[in-house]
Amino acid sequence: MTPGPARWDLAVVGAGPAGAATALGALHADPGLRVALLDRAAFPRDKACGDGVAPHVLDLLAEVGVTGLLDDRTPVGRLRLGRGGLAAERRMARPAWVVPRRILDARLVDAAVAAGARLLRHRVRDLRQHTDAVLLDGEISAAVVVGADGAHSVVRRALGRPRGPVALALRGYAPVAPGRSGAQVIEFGTRHQPSYAWSFDRGDGLANVGYGEFLHRNRPAPTRAQLLERLETLLPGATGGGRHWVGHHLPLSTARWRPPAGRVLLAGDAACLVNPLTGEGIHYAVATGVAAGRAAAAALRAGRPEQAGERYALATRRILLPHLRHTALAARLARSTRVIEAGLRASAADQRVFDDFVELGLAWGRFTPTVALGLGRAFLIPVRPTGRPQEPA
Ligand SMILES: Cc1cc2nc3c(=O)[nH]c(=O)nc-3n(C[C@H](O)[C@H](O)[C@H](O)COP(=O)(O)OP(=O)(O)OC[C@H]3O[C@@H](n4cnc5c(N)ncnc54)[C@H](O)[C@@H]3O)c2cc1C
């Protein structure tokens, strides 16, 4: 690989959805920028994920000139939410996609490179801030740096920012079990709250199946065997013929979104932006990546790269903060079994409640009056006991 210029306008650490979107956001705003996209892995590469892609992701990509990315994939129209025998199954207002990250992320990187980014294989270990630039590992200098290096972000650690609450999840690929085709199926846990198992039909005979749960400080993290056992208990038959099992942490968002000021920005998982209700993170990654790229381009155009962080905060706060407050509240409420069951009954009874829950879990949705009213009504419906098996302790 030929070395690039010694100094870049923008260096993006991590070329997942957040990093590729950062490059796209910056280059769409100013195609003349010198953008380095650094990743420790060679693409295509796998990433532990449920592979569920909200339609809103494609809206964001279209804004930066990327269209038709998933035209060859089969959209998934139905979503089934269940817990211990209660279920709400409905058509989503807009279909979602299930795209293996090996495919999705490589396509996003290709789009960023086509827009003008330079993809460099490099594992970042060290970040130093100087008055006029940021230096990575003593060899890559950039006016602005965006940390898009995932859940265990080196850039976040270099900024001295703590990580908040985390979940742990395991995923594999298995033949779609009978009764679960053409749908995204989510079965909430009965014991280890909050938790859920999923089976997302990829549309090619295989499903992405997995199980994840919130990690409590005073409880040991579940082992791989326990994660698999809990998945199989909640979704019997899901693990049969399963391969490519990988696990990873999910850094969950809280109501306290405070992006750093200055030349070093954070996007996606590096910024601890995973929906605490659903584990969704690709939409946040692309949304904050695009916003970070645009903020960097605007600050560079103004000749004030050190103001990129303030511009990014201003652009993201208005839309992100209210949503994060609402998801934090919903996640807190969802620790109660009674609330989850009321939510399922309300979603089964009313398409609008279902649609609002989907928006809250996948995009910028809020805890709407429709949801509050639906939950209130559902609390009044008496619960019938079910004979479904419980998860092992
Ligand atoms: C099991 C599981 C299931 C999930 N299911 C879903 C789902 O169905 N839908 C959804 O929307 N979200 C899901 N998520 C969350 C989603 O995977 C993340 O939110 C998303 O990948 C965040 O994108 P990102 O670009 O911020 O980080 P990543 O996708 O993690 O990308 C980070 C990149 O940075 C690179 N990198 C890391 N460190 C360095 C370094 N030091 N130097 C250079 N490069 C580095 C990595 O190689 C990687 O390519 C799931 C997560 C897990 C663990």
Side-chain angles (χ1 to χ4, degrees):
M1 196 177 293
T2 45
R7 188 179 161 122
W8 299 88
D9 295 316
L10 170 63
V12 186
V13 185
T22 301
L24 286 163
L27 288 161
H28 191 256
D30 182 351
L33 288 180
R34 290 167 305 159
V35 178
L37 188 52
L38 314 169
D39 205 291
R40 64 185 178 193
F43 284 78
R45 59 106 182 87
D46 191 17
K47 154 82 178 80
C49 188
D51 300 339
V53 182
H56 313 74
V57 171
L58 299 186
D59 301 342
L60 292 164
L61 291 171
E63 284 181 26
V64 290
V66 180
T67 54
L69 195 76
L70 303 181
D71 282 357
D72 60 339
R73 307 287 310 176
T74 310
V76 183
R78 285 187 303 123
L79 172 65
R80 180 155 89 230
L81 302 169
R83 186 187 181 279
L86 268 179
E89 178 163 354
R90 287 186 171 275
R91 194 152 279 284
M92 291 179 277
R94 297 167 69 195
W97 274 261
V98 182
V99 189
R101 294 290 297 275
R102 198 177 160 77
I103 296 173
L104 178 75
D105 291 17
R107 289 184 183 182
L108 289 173
V109 164
D110 286 349
V113 169
R118 275 282 297 281
L119 178 66
L120 301 174
R121 185 137 184 225
H122 181 102
R123 177 193 286 266
V124 172
R125 293 189 162 84
D126 180 60
L127 179 149
R128 303 270 155 106
Q129 295 204 52
H130 299 281
T131 39
D132 61 341
V134 184
L135 196 60
L136 300 173
D137 298 327
E139 56 184 279
I140 297 165
S141 167
V144 180
V145 165
V146 175
D149 49 342
H152 302 286
S153 170
V154 167
V155 178
R156 183 180 63 230
R157 261 183 280 141
L159 290 176
R161 301 208 137 213
R163 191 173 67 176
V166 283
L168 178 66
L170 180 80
R171 80 99 234 261
Y173 293 117
V176 184
R180 297 189 193 127
S181 63
Q184 293 193 329
V185 177
I186 288 177
E187 180 73 20
F188 292 101
T190 48
R191 277 188 190 276
H192 307 275
Q193 296 300 5
S195 64
Y196 76 77
W198 71 84
S199 168
F200 293 170
D201 187 351
R202 293 177 10 172
D204 59 1
L206 292 177
N208 180 315
V209 292
Y211 169 88
E213 68 180 51
F214 185 87
L215 293 185
H216 295 269
R217 283 187 207 286
N218 51 359
R219 207 167 65 196
T223 62
R224 179 191 166 94
Q226 285 171 324
L227 293 170
L228 276 169
E229 187 188 11
R230 289 167 196 175
L231 165 59
E232 185 59 30
T233 305
L234 290 173
L235 288 177
T239 59
R243 297 176 61 201
H244 306 298
W245 297 103
V246 274
H248 208 264
H249 288 109
L250 296 91
L252 305 176
S253 71
T254 67
R256 296 182 299 277
W257 163 251
R258 300 284 177 273
R263 294 170 182 271
V264 183
L265 285 56
L266 296 170
D269 277 17
C272 301
L273 286 174
V274 172
N275 191 307
L277 273 180
T278 58
E280 199 289 333
I282 298 173
H283 174 254
Y284 292 146
V286 172
T288 53
V290 168
R294 284 178 177 151
L300 286 160
R301 198 181 313 120
R304 304 295 300 269
E306 73 282 3
Q307 290 181 356
E310 283 86 345
R311 286 179 185 266
Y312 177 54
L314 212 67
T316 48
R317 227 182 262 144
R318 193 178 50 84
I319 183 143
L320 204 50
L321 256 187
H323 165 74
L324 293 181
R325 283 195 199 109
H326 285 236
T327 45
L329 169 69
R332 210 172 315 127
L333 292 174
R335 285 183 202 161
S336 151
T337 301
R338 289 188 63 216
V339 172
I340 291 188
E341 291 182 350
L344 290 176
R345 287 197 301 275
S347 299
D350 187 336
Q351 179 78 41
R352 291 166 309 160
V353 175
F354 180 86
D355 290 343
D356 285 359
F357 269 127
V358 171
E359 281 298 302
L360 190 65
L362 295 190
W364 298 133
R366 304 215 182 161
F367 199 87
T368 60
T370 307
V371 166
L373 215 68
L375 281 177
R377 279 204 202 99
F379 267 116
L380 302 177
I381 303 171
V383 187
R384 276 175 287 114
T386 69
R388 288 290 296 265
Q390 294 276 309
E391 286 167 79

